[in-house]
Structures are given as C-alpha cells and as structure tokens.
Amino acid sequence: MRRPVPLPPGPLRGRFAPSPTGALHLGNAWAALCAFAASRRSGGTFVLRVEDLDPRRSKPAIVQQQLEDLRWLGIAWDEGPDVGGPRAPYVQSQRLERYADALGRLETFPCTCTRKEIRAALAEIAGAPHGGGARYPGTCLHRPPAPDRPAARRWLPPDGVVEATCAHYGPLRAQLRREVGAVALRRSDGVFAYRLAVVVDDAEMGIDLVVRGRDLLEDTPLQVAIARALGLVPPAYLHVPLVLGPEGTKLSKRAGGLSLARLRAAGARPEAVVAYLAEHMGLVPRDTRLLSARAFVDAFDPSRLPHADLVIDPARAIEEIVARGSSP
Ligand code: GLU
C-alpha cells in the first residue's frame, strides 16, 4: 500500500526558481512540472523566480528563453518577473538589499581564507586523530582577517542536530557544525550565497511548499537552520527524483544536454515531453503517449513517485519523445 505523502493543507503557494545559466533541460522541466502540479492541485498560487545571483554565470538572454520554454511546456505562473505580483521583484539580482539585511541579522565573521588555504588546513586536520569532517576548518574564527584581501562572510550553524523533513524522502538530520562547519553566506566578491537568498525569498514570497530536485535534499537542513536563525518559518519540502544521463551523470544545463529547445527543434510536442516524464516516473500508464501540463496536474500524486532517479539515454529519449508527437 502506498503511504500518503504529508503535504501541508492547501491552498499552497509554490514556486519554480531556475538559475539562468543555460537552457532548461528535461530534468528542469520535470522539477518545474512537479512544482506547478503540487501548487495547482492544492488550488494555490504558482510563482516563478529568477535566481540570477551570480553575475558571472547568469545570462539575461537565457531568462527569456527559460520563460518561453516553460510556457511552451504548458506551465503558467500567477506571479513572476514578466507578470509581476504582490511580492515583486521576482528576480534575485533586484533583491540584493534584502539579502544584505538578512546577513546583517545573523552573527557572521569575515573570512579571507583562499581555497588553497582551506584545502591545506583540511588535509592537516584529516591527519589528526579526531580530524576531517568539517568542510570549513574554522581558520578565520581564530585569526583576524588578512587586511589586504577581500573578505567573505561566514556563519557558524548551531551546535547539535538540525532536523528537516522531505515529504517524499523522509526525515533529514544533520550535525551542521561538525559536518559542514561555518558556511559562506556572502562570497569575497560580494555575491550572496544561494542558500541565504533562497531562504529569504521563500519566506518573503510566502512559499508554503518547495518542490525541487533531489540534488538539493542534502542542503535542506542548512537552509532550515538559516531560516530559523533569521526567525523565519521554513516551508515544507518535497524533493523529487532527478532525470540523469548515462551512468547517472547530471544533465547539464550549460552543455545543452537534452534541452527543451533541442527537443522543440527536433519537432517534439510539449505534450509528448510531459507524457514521457510522467510515464517514466510511474505517474501514468505505459500507453500514455501525450499528456498536457494541465492533465499532468491531475495525474500528479507524490505517493506514486519513485525514490530512484530516472536514468536516460539522451539520443533514445529524443527519439522516443519525437515519435509520440504523431499521435492524435
Ligand atoms: N536555482 C536553483 C537551481 O536552478 C534551484 C533552487 C531551489 O529550487 O531551491 O538549481
């Protein structure tokens, strides 16, 4: 018997928050569809947020392409950069003062460690009897920052176990201070960390349920800890299995691996993309050749989702998706 997945009572405010670093691929489409379906099923509101924090990796032209790809797929949002809404702006590069304000409310310390120094310090700890573990060795906690170098701001998570829950993958526990140590919330070049911005934005945008790929499961306790330290109530989380390439490799946005644009150019119908994903993730019967995003909302049942990722062969996936297009 399937266990019902405990989602908060609706209507839920959900969101999809892509980073404009490359064309959306099949894995992004899957996460977007699940987030869209979870909020629509609850009779809630769906928000689109652009996570362009890193100016070196984000490309403004990609934002338009991503919005177009999502619309092509049949996903509609009630609030977002192009349609506005009561919690605007929906673009992270326009929300920097909010992150600065949040950072100022946390107890952080300046850190001028270089990557090389961190690696060397960790290698030294790893050789010691109780060493290893923490990814930031705490060097700048015990020394004044180097005056000639730009400083990052680091935050030391609380001691003890931090618990979080994913509605699909279950309880998460992390001893953050021991396992990750002090985390950078603003880099030395001034760029705010994703994990600070995501917590601030989800709270300020009133997001009740975060639906996203399983790759962010591990970071979730830390996001919960940051939210609590800021006096915010963290949202509920539902992580979904990933769509991976051969041998479990990531479908990279930047490499254009199985992008929606490529599928479109190959003549795929959006309903074929949705049906392919829904079928391979076990949400609809095997003979479902086409499925609209609207019908995906009705088919979406988190208790039927697998825990294992979907591993695909890109060339075969394109073939299979395009072949479905000829159906009435
Ligand atoms: N911007 C992140 C990404 O594109 C997603 C963040 C989230 O859903 O929490 O991977």
Side-chain angles (χ1 to χ4, degrees):
M1 211 180 71
R2 293 201 157 93
R3 263 186 311 129
V5 171
L7 296 183
L12 301 171
R13 281 178 68 86
R15 51 57 159 193
F16 182 59
S19 302
T21 52
L24 294 180
H25 56 58
L26 214 49
N28 305 124
W30 164 245
L33 282 165
C34 292
F36 170 64
S39 76
R40 280 283 181 270
R41 276 183 78 85
S42 74
T45 303
F46 193 53
V47 176
L48 189 86
R49 181 171 73 230
V50 174
E51 300 211 323
D52 60 345
L53 272 180
D54 190 337
R56 277 183 313 192
R57 296 184 56 219
S58 303
K59 299 176 196 78
I62 301 264
V63 174
Q64 286 319 313
Q65 192 194 326
Q66 290 188 336
L67 300 193
E68 255 171 55
D69 285 346
L70 291 169
R71 264 191 231 107
W72 174 76
L73 209 55
I75 293 179
W77 45 96
D78 309 295
E79 298 173 26
D82 53 340
V83 292
R87 317 284 175 115
Y90 296 95
V91 178
Q92 287 192 326
S93 60
Q94 295 168 22
R95 303 177 59 83
L96 301 183
E97 73 284 1
R98 290 164 169 91
Y99 314 137
D101 175 70
L103 191 73
R105 287 191 279 129
L106 294 171
E107 224 174 281
T108 59
F109 63 92
C111 169
T112 50
C113 288
T114 59
R115 272 171 206 221
K116 203 169 150 198
E117 278 173 348
I118 293 176
R119 266 200 311 272
L122 280 177
E124 204 171 296
I125 301 171
H130 303 289
R135 276 190 254 147
Y136 177 69
T139 319
C140 281
L141 268 171
H142 313 293
R143 71 168 186 193
D148 53 331
R149 290 193 212 154
R153 298 297 310 189
R154 284 188 184 269
W155 175 70
L156 195 60
D159 215 354
V161 175
V162 174
E163 298 192 16
T165 308
C166 167
H168 183 50
Y169 288 96
L172 306 161
R173 290 165 61 84
Q175 300 236 27
L176 296 170
R177 195 175 279 200
R178 213 173 67 193
E179 289 163 20
V180 293
V183 288
L185 295 185
R186 202 190 64 200
R187 290 191 329 216
S188 61
D189 61 1
V191 175
F192 291 100
Y194 148 73
R195 50 173 66 111
L196 174 68
V198 79
V199 163
V200 170
D201 288 348
D202 283 338
E204 289 196 4
M205 293 181 183
I207 301 300
D208 308 294
L209 176 66
V210 166
V211 179
R212 59 187 180 188
R214 186 190 61 76
D215 50 338
L216 287 161
L217 193 61
E218 211 185 312
D219 208 54
T220 302
L222 182 54
Q223 293 177 21
V224 165
I226 294 171
R228 290 196 184 129
L230 286 167
L232 304 170
V233 180
Y237 294 94
L238 172 72
H239 292 84
V240 295
L242 304 175
V243 181
L244 297 174
E247 284 151 44
T249 49
K250 269 193 140 182
L251 293 178
S252 156
K253 256 194 268 178
R254 272 170 294 169
L258 218 49
S259 66
L260 294 181
R262 191 166 155 198
L263 281 160
R264 256 165 108 167
R269 285 175 60 165
E271 298 88 351
V273 174
V274 178
Y276 174 88
L277 289 166
E279 186 193 304
H280 284 271
M281 290 291 189
L283 292 176
V284 292
R286 284 235 151 251
D287 55 358
T288 312
R289 291 178 67 80
L290 297 171
L291 192 72
S292 67
R294 182 64 247 175
F296 181 89
V297 171
D298 297 327
F300 183 73
D301 173 0
S303 73
R304 299 176 69 95
L305 290 176
H307 282 104
D309 297 325
L310 171 65
V311 176
I312 58 170
D313 171 339
R316 278 187 50 194
I318 294 181
E319 225 171 87
E320 200 188 311
I321 292 169
V322 172
R324 287 168 186 244
S326 53
S327 272

